[in-house]
Amino acid sequence: MAGSIYKQAIPLANPGRKNGEWQVYDVIWTAPTFNEDGSMKNYGQGHRFIQRLLVENNFELWGPTLYIGKPKYKAHGPSPIKLQAHGDKSEPA
């Protein structure tokens, strides 16, 4: 469902529009932080909106959205947010 966080959370609402219609998706994200020894200090947290409707409210991400296994962070520095594309190889517009 649009707005889900894979294997971690279902959205509060499903405001997705029909296929072929323009979708608006906004993310407010606070990256996770780690202690000097690599242990978890603060989990990543986010708010997400689709069509300006809140679908995830201050959700605490437990780690990468893995296909198999439980999510668990490994200490890292700055990195991108990646959105699932389901194999769509088209260039961003």
Side-chain angles (χ1 to χ4, degrees):
M1 182 185 320
S4 297
I5 298 176
Y6 187 69
K7 291 177 57 178
Q8 295 190 40
I10 60 171
L12 300 171
N14 186 7
R17 295 184 177 149
K18 295 177 190 175
N19 289 342
E21 291 185 17
W22 190 257
Q23 308 284 335
V24 178
Y25 194 93
D26 296 293
V27 176
I28 300 169
W29 176 248
T30 302
T33 57
F34 304 92
N35 295 308
E36 287 187 26
D37 65 0
S39 63
M40 199 74 229
K41 185 173 185 179
N42 295 303
Y43 287 89
Q45 295 181 323
H47 302 277
R48 296 180 318 122
F49 301 84
I50 299 176
Q51 274 58 270
R52 296 186 175 82
L53 181 68
L54 183 66
V55 295
E56 294 293 347
N57 185 22
N58 202 32
F59 180 77
E60 192 170 83
L61 191 67
W62 309 319
T65 53
L66 306 171
Y67 174 66
I68 296 174
K70 292 184 178 182
K72 182 179 178 183
Y73 281 112
K74 292 180 184 173
H76 61 79
S79 60
I81 294 174
K82 296 180 182 180
L83 302 177
Q84 188 170 357
H86 293 285
D88 182 359
K89 297 183 181 359
S90 61
E91 293 294 322

